[in-house]
Amino acid sequence: MSGGLWMPAGARTDTLPTIPRQRTPGWAEPDPLDELAARLDDFIAAAVHPDEIAALLESDGLTDDRIRERYGVKNSFALAEELYDRVPRRYPEPRDPAPDPWRTSLLACLVRGVVFALPGFGYVLGAPLLAGPQGDFGLPAGTVPLLAAALFGWTWNQGLSHRAHTWLGLGDKPAARRTLLLGAPAGALLGALVALACAGTATLAAVAFAAGQSCYLAAATALLVMARERALLAALAPMTAGALLALVHPIPDAARIALLTASLTVVTLLGLREVAPLKGRGAVFDLRLPPRGRDKPRRTRSRSTAAGLPLSASLPYALFGLGSGVLVVYAALGDVLAGAEPSAVAAPSAVALTLSMGPAEWLLYRFRSGSLAGLRSAGTPRAFRRTTARELAVCLAAYLTALLALATATAALWPHAPTVDGVRLAGLLLLGVVIWTGLLLQSFGAVAGAALICVLAALAQTLALLTRNGGPHTVGVAVYGAAAVAQSALVCVLLGRATTHR
């Protein structure tokens, strides 16, 4: 003992007792906060509030005890604020390109355009069935019930396809199939009744041909809605081959009827197979009784599905189909309505418009894709409007170029086609503007305005022709021009708003 302090033998006198204290990182040991900030650098730099970082830390399983022990702060929120202050704000671009749901195959759209046009060969085969004395409007008697059934079919099936596509968008494929299974046969039956009511002096063969057209439109609608274009293309092959042969060599009427019946039967069976409730591959319909009581499977449906789809929601789409269909018919029959022979029907116009639906569909997707890119890149509403207007002008010009090329080609190849002059060409291109902008509005769900414009244009052209107020082509240019201006203005007003594209 010395100086009042007792020291054990062998103890050093130059050491102090150890006091527990928090370790501070030295130059040889990295700061754990720096390590964590470096590991979460991208996320922290893009965070707009420290609470986002705190949520990430908690999701990684960092408890407040571990945070206090390792980082020397009291909880996850304090650690998040520390990390938020250490890392400067920046918003790095994603490594992978942003998803674009509007990218689609040009080939698939062209196939759909060909599928839309191939039924026109059916009229080549069925021409003898439609022959006869002139009926109303200077057309062969069999043409009137055919056009009436076609217009009804375009109207009905446009509304039907909207309903089925809506169910598909809600994720309820069985409901879409039920809609087509009930609506397609009803449309075919009503179309046949319309043809019968408008028969007039037409022969029974012409009415039967119109009824077959109604059945085809119904079955083809089901196949197109269910994305079975290739099956429909294959089913139309016999009829197409027969029509091409009939253009260069006469074939008997019995062979014509057989080819038409074969393609119609195949298309109808394919449509029925696509929408019928299947149980396995062998049965078409399940005839067993549905389960009852506790054995009945429970189904969960969304609120939108449970509430059902009102019929009024599909009415604008049906009216758009009616209005645009009437305008196309007037464009095709302009020469006959002007007093020309029925053999000079301007079918190339209708064929060109039908074939152009393939490029039109692809350009609709192209516009949606370009507007989505503009929505991501534009910094101000004004810049977005400029981007949208430029994309709209490019897509519309591309469509009109394709329509012009198709119109020139079909007029050159079509037998006895009328001369394509400036008035006819202007009318066709203006009608193309009406159709394409109408489809564009329809793709955004703004079909009510397009339907109103097309229906009013069809009524105006009908009244002008009934009152003999100008020639058909001159009236067509005026009506199509006014409709094109009105619809283009509607497109610019609606699609210039960024909220429309969200």
Side-chain angles (χ1 to χ4, degrees):
M1 184 174 299
S2 173
L5 291 175
W6 179 81
M7 300 292 293
R12 295 179 57 182
T13 60
D14 59 348
T15 61
L16 294 175
T18 302
I19 300 175
R21 59 183 178 179
Q22 181 177 353
R23 295 177 61 189
T24 57
W27 65 271
E29 183 179 356
D31 187 350
L33 273 173
D34 288 338
E35 289 183 338
L36 184 61
R39 182 164 62 88
L40 302 177
D41 181 75
D42 288 342
F43 182 85
I44 298 172
V48 297
H49 195 275
D51 287 352
E52 296 182 41
I53 307 172
L56 177 65
L57 296 174
E58 292 175 357
S59 67
D60 283 345
L62 279 176
T63 63
D64 289 344
D65 292 337
R66 292 186 62 186
I67 289 172
R68 282 192 293 268
E69 178 184 350
R70 181 165 178 76
Y71 301 107
V73 294
K74 60 181 180 180
N75 55 31
S76 61
F77 293 99
L79 178 57
E81 291 178 357
E82 181 70 25
L83 293 172
Y84 188 81
D85 292 337
R86 289 194 178 206
V87 179
R89 303 275 68 72
R90 67 180 187 277
Y91 301 97
E93 292 294 330
R95 296 175 182 175
D96 298 328
D100 186 354
W102 301 108
R103 290 195 177 275
T104 189
S105 169
L106 175 59
L107 179 61
C109 293
L110 292 178
V111 168
R112 287 175 67 89
V114 172
V115 168
F116 294 152
L118 282 184
F121 284 111
Y123 303 115
V124 176
L125 286 177
L129 304 177
L130 305 175
Q134 287 190 358
D136 297 332
F137 312 109
L139 298 172
T143 309
V144 176
L146 186 70
L147 291 177
L151 289 175
F152 175 83
W154 292 341
T155 305
W156 180 275
N157 291 305
Q158 188 81 358
L160 178 64
S161 63
H162 165 256
R163 300 185 66 77
H165 277 299
T166 302
W167 287 122
L168 289 176
L170 293 172
D172 197 342
K173 197 170 184 179
R177 282 176 168 159
R178 286 195 300 271
T179 299
L180 293 169
L181 184 62
L182 295 175
L189 178 60
L190 291 174
L193 293 177
V194 168
L196 184 61
C198 299
T201 59
T203 63
L204 184 60
V207 176
F209 184 83
Q213 174 189 251
S214 298
C215 292
Y216 169 79
L217 291 174
T221 298
L223 290 172
L224 290 172
V225 169
M226 304 306 292
R228 296 283 290 165
E229 296 90 350
R230 296 181 185 275
L232 181 57
L233 187 63
L236 293 174
M239 180 198 69
T240 304
L244 292 174
L245 178 61
L247 289 175
V248 297
H249 189 275
I251 60 175
D253 289 347
R256 293 171 180 266
I257 295 174
L259 289 169
L260 289 170
T261 305
S263 284
L264 177 60
T265 302
V266 173
V267 171
T268 303
L269 291 177
L270 286 174
L272 179 63
R273 180 179 180 274
E274 191 63 33
V275 301
L278 299 176
K279 290 294 181 181
R281 294 183 178 271
V284 177
F285 293 98
D286 181 20
L287 300 179
R288 295 175 295 177
L289 293 176
R292 294 182 297 175
R294 62 182 181 182
D295 296 328
K296 186 175 182 179
R298 295 181 179 179
R299 296 182 59 192
T300 59
R301 298 194 298 176
S302 67
R303 183 179 298 178
S304 299
T305 307
L309 183 63
L311 292 174
S312 59
S314 301
L315 181 60
Y317 293 84
L319 291 177
F320 176 72
L322 174 62
S324 58
V326 171
L327 295 178
V328 171
V329 167
Y330 281 143
L333 301 180
D335 289 293
V336 175
L337 296 174
E341 290 296 324
S343 59
V345 171
S349 300
V351 173
L353 280 170
T354 307
L355 285 173
S356 72
M357 290 300 100
E361 184 177 0
W362 185 80
L363 288 167
L364 290 175
Y365 280 101
R366 175 68 179 82
F367 174 80
R368 297 300 298 266
S369 177
S371 62
L372 180 60
L375 192 63
R376 291 167 175 162
S377 61
T380 63
R382 190 173 186 178
F384 175 71
R385 284 195 295 270
R386 285 198 303 266
T387 302
T388 304
R390 183 173 59 251
E391 195 69 29
L392 177 63
V394 170
C395 291
L396 183 56
Y399 171 68
L400 293 179
T401 302
L403 179 59
L404 177 61
L406 289 169
T408 304
T410 52
L413 297 175
W414 198 268
H416 309 294
T419 304
V420 180
D421 55 15
V423 176
R424 288 186 177 90
L425 194 57
L428 180 62
L429 294 180
L430 288 172
L431 180 57
V433 174
V434 175
I435 298 297
W436 193 81
T437 53
L439 293 174
L440 181 61
L441 291 170
Q442 181 178 268
S443 71
F444 281 93
V447 70
L452 178 62
I453 291 172
C454 287
V455 169
L456 290 178
L459 287 175
Q461 192 166 8
T462 301
L463 291 175
L465 293 175
L466 289 177
T467 57
R468 306 289 183 180
N469 190 9
H473 294 296
T474 305
V475 171
V477 170
V479 170
Y480 303 153
V485 170
Q487 218 154 252
S488 299
L490 184 60
V491 167
C492 292
V493 171
L494 179 67
L495 303 187
R497 299 196 297 260
T499 52
T500 308
H501 300 260
R502 297 186 186 276

